[in-house]
Amino acid sequence: MKNQFLLITIVLLWVLLTTPVHGQDCNGYMLLTENAEYEILNYNQRNKLTGRMLYKVTDVRRNGNKSEATVHTQMYDEKGKMANEGSYQVGCENGSIWIDMRSLMNPDMMEAYKNMEVKMEGDHMDYPASLSPGQQLKDGSFTINVIDKGSGQNMSTITMQVTGRTVGNKERLEVPAGAYEGFKINQDMEVQTRAMGMKMPGTRMQTVEWFVPGTGWIKSETYRNGKLMAYSVLNKINK
């Protein structure tokens, strides 16, 4: 379940990075602004708080029409205890945002594999500078190979695919951070694992997200087999 909630919050990170303030200008993105911060609250299907994520931009590099930033993350459980932390690289070119899909790696998983060699390959998740209803966004995928350092044997392979990314209409929503009108985005996520060459049962989820031009992500819902499993909302932002 913890892995599921981490996937949700990282998906929200992609969305929060995708909303320009000034057309093709990368300088207008919230998470390409030095010291920008925001907080996400996670809930299960019974409206019980399951944790929160804090994000802060710790470094921004600019070169012409390109920008890159480091985003520091802290994940807290439902009791307020910090479970893990990490950082991710994001970027912008000509007003369009990208984020490396390798940032989806669960820090708890990395701790479990600390005595192994971990190789990761993946796409950038791209969001164009402007969005419109019916627009199809580029799919993304990444693969993690866990290798025994002594024998060089591949112990497990984990693959994630994000497909069917479709932009919907704008809808008005109220979240703790305020009332907004946000674009609705639907997408499918699938995780497959092979351990010692054996294929394990896969995990399929569907996510629905809303984000607002000039502000960013405000809400996300995660479904499995048509049933709501969890949701997250934007609690507060500080630019």
Side-chain angles (χ1 to χ4, degrees):
M1 186 62 71
K2 182 185 292 185
N3 291 353
Q4 183 183 85
F5 289 130
L6 184 63
L7 287 173
I8 297 166
T9 51
I10 297 301
V11 167
L12 303 182
L13 172 60
W14 302 340
V15 180
L16 191 57
L17 290 167
T18 63
T19 311
V21 177
H22 304 295
Q24 302 297 312
D25 185 4
C26 291
N27 295 329
Y29 290 92
M30 191 180 89
L31 284 190
L32 288 170
T33 301
E34 194 77 36
N35 295 319
E37 297 177 304
Y38 71 98
E39 181 181 63
I40 291 172
L41 301 181
N42 298 327
Y43 295 88
N44 63 18
Q45 67 271 41
R46 294 181 293 275
N47 299 316
K48 179 182 178 181
L49 181 68
T50 57
R52 61 189 177 98
M53 292 286 292
L54 298 180
Y55 293 84
K56 181 176 182 178
V57 180
T58 58
D59 183 34
V60 178
R61 292 87 62 192
R62 304 190 190 279
N63 182 12
N65 63 350
K66 297 181 180 180
S67 299
E68 293 187 10
T70 299
V71 181
H72 182 71
T73 68
Q74 293 180 323
M75 182 177 180
Y76 294 83
D77 62 21
E78 67 277 11
K79 297 180 180 179
K81 180 180 179 181
M82 189 169 71
N84 53 54
E85 59 184 329
S87 61
Y88 309 105
Q89 300 299 309
V90 300
C92 174
E93 184 173 0
N94 296 321
S96 296
I97 284 290
W98 60 261
I99 180 169
D100 196 330
M101 282 195 68
R102 288 178 293 180
S103 64
L104 287 170
M105 168 60 81
N106 188 331
D108 288 345
M109 187 183 299
M110 292 298 294
E111 179 66 19
Y113 294 143
K114 63 182 179 181
N115 295 321
M116 301 285 186
E117 180 182 358
V118 178
K119 294 183 178 180
M120 294 181 284
E121 296 180 354
D123 301 325
H124 285 166
M125 290 294 293
D126 298 323
Y127 285 83
S130 60
L131 296 170
S132 59
Q135 186 174 2
Q136 299 292 315
L137 305 182
K138 181 182 176 182
D139 295 340
S141 66
F142 81 96
T143 301
I144 305 162
N145 288 300
V146 181
I147 302 169
D148 181 77
K149 291 181 178 179
S151 65
Q153 182 178 3
N154 191 323
M155 305 300 291
S156 65
T157 299
I158 303 166
T159 303
M160 168 176 277
Q161 294 184 324
V162 181
T163 60
R165 303 173 65 217
T166 306
V167 181
N169 294 323
K170 277 188 175 181
E171 297 181 357
R172 181 174 177 81
L173 295 176
E174 292 189 8
V175 296
Y180 302 95
E181 286 191 357
F183 280 101
K184 186 176 181 179
I185 295 181
N186 291 275
Q187 62 188 23
D188 299 319
M189 302 178 66
E190 182 175 2
V191 179
Q192 292 284 349
T193 302
R194 285 185 176 272
M196 301 297 292
M198 297 181 61
K199 186 176 181 179
M200 310 299 287
T203 300
R204 294 181 177 86
M205 295 179 288
Q206 300 78 44
T207 64
V208 183
E209 309 159 345
W210 290 263
F211 67 92
V212 178
T215 300
W217 166 86
I218 58 170
K219 185 177 181 180
S220 178
E221 297 175 345
T222 297
Y223 294 83
R224 183 179 295 173
N225 298 324
K227 296 182 179 180
L228 179 66
M229 301 300 296
Y231 68 94
S232 300
V233 293
L234 181 64
N235 187 44
K236 57 186 177 181
I237 57 177
N238 180 26
K239 293 189 283 186

